[in-house]
Amino acid sequence: MRPLAPWLRWWLRDPAEAGAFRLAAVYMRRDKDVRHRLYPSLAMVIVFPLYFLFSSRASHGESVFYVYMCLWMLATLPLSTTETLRLSQDWQAADLFYYAPLEGHGPLFHGVRKAALYYATLPCAVLLMVMLALVAPDPVATFRNAIPMLILLPSFSLRGGMSREYLPLARPPRTGEQSRGTQGPILLMMFLLPFFMGAIYLLIRAIGYWPLLAIEVPLTILIHRMILRSMRRARPICAD
């Protein structure tokens, strides 16, 4: 097995995280069942930019709406990917996690989450930004509008491991199983999207763009670390 790139070794300093990252990456690339459930989620990210591309020239207000709608689809991608990687035809092999010397499921979740960010979300984000730059009336304004939401994306990716135990590839794929795992959190994010959009718009109007980033970045880092600290106290892995 090839060694990880230097930036990935820095990002995956926990051996359990690195192992879960490698496992998720292999299944995302080589397992036909996982790919068939994952690719529709990836395709959804580019639906709205394609619609924007083939629709009539939008006004500035409409372009801002499309940018945030695309970013919402991007923000749901880590959650849908980690939920996809809960399921596997080889689910019996996940018994290994119950005997491994792990304090909890946190490192396994973070390894899979980082694989979802690195191999699915990051390429889709780059593609999305290129497409939006091509179709938006004002590409500079498009990037400016996207940055405040992109800053929040790593914290949104924690949602899949906050409420219940996460074991990768540990459940047999059944009809509706993946939808049940993602429906509630994605609906919650759908309701939160207008709040974030409105809050970002009002704050930019009130205090300016750069002061908003100066407040948002440290506040997001603080909240992100608090969530990570609470997840480290997660219960040990227990057999069903």
Side-chain angles (χ1 to χ4, degrees):
M1 184 178 292
R2 291 182 299 176
L4 293 171
W7 58 88
L8 289 178
R9 289 199 298 270
W10 172 83
W11 198 30
L12 300 161
R13 286 170 285 186
D14 187 321
E17 278 191 23
F21 180 93
R22 288 181 180 274
L23 180 66
V26 168
Y27 269 80
M28 291 167 71
R29 289 196 302 264
R30 300 181 184 176
D31 189 271
K32 183 183 296 185
D33 177 67
V34 170
R35 294 203 310 267
H36 285 173
R37 287 183 282 108
L38 179 61
Y39 287 173
S41 300
L42 303 180
M44 282 298 295
V45 176
I46 65 172
V47 167
F48 287 99
L50 286 176
Y51 174 78
F52 196 18
L53 177 63
F54 291 107
S55 64
S56 58
R57 202 67 173 172
S59 65
H60 175 70
E62 290 174 331
S63 67
V64 172
F65 171 79
Y66 277 113
V67 168
Y68 280 108
M69 197 66 190
C70 294
L71 290 172
W72 172 76
M73 296 303 301
L74 187 67
T76 63
L77 189 55
L79 175 60
S80 62
T81 304
T82 53
E83 289 300 320
T84 295
L85 290 167
R86 281 185 190 269
L87 313 177
S88 171
Q89 299 286 354
D90 306 318
W91 59 274
Q92 297 96 332
D95 285 349
L96 174 67
F97 297 128
Y98 298 120
Y99 304 104
L102 299 172
E103 295 182 357
H105 64 91
L108 299 175
F109 167 72
H110 289 304
V112 176
R113 177 181 71 89
K114 290 177 180 180
L117 288 171
Y118 188 76
Y119 289 110
T121 310
L122 180 60
C124 284
V126 173
L127 178 62
L128 179 62
M129 290 297 102
V130 171
M131 293 178 66
L132 289 173
L134 293 175
V135 303
D138 186 347
V140 175
T142 297
F143 285 115
R144 284 170 58 89
N145 291 326
I147 287 173
M149 286 293 290
L150 289 174
I151 290 171
L152 300 173
L153 197 147
S155 298
F156 284 148
S157 72
L158 296 172
R159 179 64 184 85
M162 291 172 59
S163 58
R164 53 185 172 143
E165 181 178 87
Y166 186 92
L167 294 180
L169 311 169
R171 293 179 177 272
R174 299 190 181 97
T175 303
E177 179 77 15
Q178 183 175 341
S179 298
R180 284 195 297 271
T182 58
Q183 187 177 31
I186 287 179
L187 286 175
L188 176 63
M189 292 177 68
M190 182 184 296
F191 284 113
L192 288 176
L193 177 68
F195 169 77
F196 285 112
M197 289 173 60
I200 289 171
Y201 176 78
L202 292 175
L203 286 170
I204 290 175
R205 293 290 300 272
I207 65 175
Y209 182 80
W210 295 110
L212 169 65
L213 292 186
I215 296 172
E216 181 188 11
V217 171
L219 184 61
T220 302
I221 292 173
L222 176 62
I223 295 174
H224 190 91
R225 289 183 174 178
M226 290 173 62
I227 296 173
L228 289 177
R229 190 175 298 113
S230 67
M231 292 178 70
R232 290 192 190 102
R233 305 192 192 103
R235 60 187 182 279
I237 298 172
C238 299
D240 294 334

